[in-house]
């Protein structure tokens, strides 16, 4: 499983766009990139998953450059309720399905 | 409501005791995963079951065991409990055994060992 590196914490203000970058230099050909969000005392929630280029859903966008050695989760116009820990995971969907979580990025959105 | 149900929500027990945590996966999901989250260890993968069979094992202690029943619900058994076992225990489920469509997590069971 490829190791991921992301900032430990980030601060933002309401209404701003937040970009969280994750480095995964050793990503393998079969690996997908998945982001989860976790609020205190709640289970992680799937946000978005991608393999290459750009993926967008109603919650976020995921940008993946051609070399796939990093990825950026973009949250448009954040609100206070987006304060949470965001996890970047990289894995081969054939590796038994287990997800290995790193430290995550603690995003704090201020008024 | 994520569709994954975990009971109980809170559990307080003494050292040396045994407890059972229960998880009902989202309807249609065949895989169940157990995770432990403590302040100093983060989210740790424990074990995965797919359609009743063990599929992957992580950092699960020998004092811990799990199983998945024919109706697909799963139980995590923790025995000879120690203070360090105090943590949030999450169950997640997915459609297939490979989790390729994302995992759905339950709201967790908070275990406190005193």
């Amino acid at each position: 499983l490829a190791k991921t590196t992301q900032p430990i914490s980030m601060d933002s203000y309401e209404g701003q766009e937040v970009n969280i970058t994750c480095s995964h230099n050793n990503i393998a050909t079969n690996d997908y990139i998945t982001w989860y969000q976790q609020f205190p005392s709640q289970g992680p929630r799937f946000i978005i998953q991608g393999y290459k280029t750009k993926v967008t859903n109603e919650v976020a966008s995921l940008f993946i450059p051609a070399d796939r050695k990093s990825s950026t989760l973009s949250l448009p116009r954040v609100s206070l309720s987006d304060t949470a820990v965001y996890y970047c995971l990289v894995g081969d969907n054939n590796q038994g399905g287990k997800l290995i979580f790193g430290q995550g990025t603690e995003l704090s959105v201020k008024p | 409501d994520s569709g994954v149900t975990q009971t109980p929500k809170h559990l307080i027990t003494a050292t040396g005791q045994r407890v059972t945590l229960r998880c009902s996966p989202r309807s249609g999901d065949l895989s169940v995963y157990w995770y432990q989250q403590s302040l100093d260890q983060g989210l740790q993968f424990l074990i995965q079951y797919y359609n009743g069979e063990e599929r992957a094992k992580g950092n699960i202690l020998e004092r811990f065991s799990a199983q998945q029943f024919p109706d697909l619900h799963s139980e995590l058994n923790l025995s000879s409990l120690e203070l360090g076992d105090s943590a949030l225990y999450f169950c997640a489920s997915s459609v297939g055994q490979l989790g390729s469509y994302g995992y759905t997590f339950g709201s967790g069971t908070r275990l406190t060992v005193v």
Side-chain angles (χ1 to χ4, degrees), chain A residues 29-86:
Chain A
T29 304
N30 294 332
D31 285 346
Y32 279 75
I33 300 156
T34 312
W35 287 80
Y36 283 79
Q37 173 194 56
Q38 186 180 26
F39 298 113
S41 298
Q42 293 187 27
R45 183 175 74 106
F46 173 88
I47 301 177
I48 199 166
Q49 182 180 72
Y51 183 79
K52 62 181 179 180
T53 63
K54 176 184 173 182
V55 179
T56 298
N57 61 22
E58 65 278 5
V59 177
S61 294
L62 178 59
F63 298 92
I64 305 169
D67 66 4
R68 303 200 326 123
K69 293 184 183 299
S70 67
S71 59
T72 299
L73 175 72
S74 180
L75 305 172
R77 298 179 297 281
V78 294
S79 64
L80 296 177
S81 63
D82 292 316
T83 294
V85 178
Y86 292 82

Side-chain angles (χ1 to χ4, degrees), chain A residues 93-106:
Chain A
N93 287 335
N94 293 317
Q95 291 184 21
K98 61 186 178 187
L99 288 180
I100 306 299
F101 287 80
Q103 280 189 305
T105 297
E106 188 170 357

Side-chain angles (χ1 to χ4, degrees), chain A residues 34 36 38 40-46 49 87 92-102, chain B residues 33 35 37 43 45 48 55-57 88 90 97-107 110:
Chain A
T34 312
Y36 283 79
Q38 186 180 26
S41 298
Q42 293 187 27
R45 183 175 74 106
F46 173 88
Q49 182 180 72
Y87 294 96
D92 179 350
N93 287 335
N94 293 317
Q95 291 184 21
K98 61 186 178 187
L99 288 180
I100 306 299
F101 287 80
Chain B
Y33 312 80
Y35 285 82
Q37 187 172 36
L43 267 164
F45 169 74
Q48 176 203 0
R55 272 292 182 262
K57 221 167 186 176
L88 265 169
F90 290 106
Q97 61 178 316
L98 303 180
S100 56
Y101 299 103
Y103 289 33
T104 302
F105 281 80
S107 56
R110 181 175 293 280

Side-chain angles (χ1 to χ4, degrees), chain A residues 6 8 11 21 27 34 43 58 66 76 80 87-88 101 106 109:
Chain A
Q6 25 177 155
I8 298 292
D11 291 331
T21 297
I27 190 168
T34 312
E58 65 278 5
L80 296 177
Y87 294 96
C88 163
F101 287 80
E106 188 170 357
V109 180

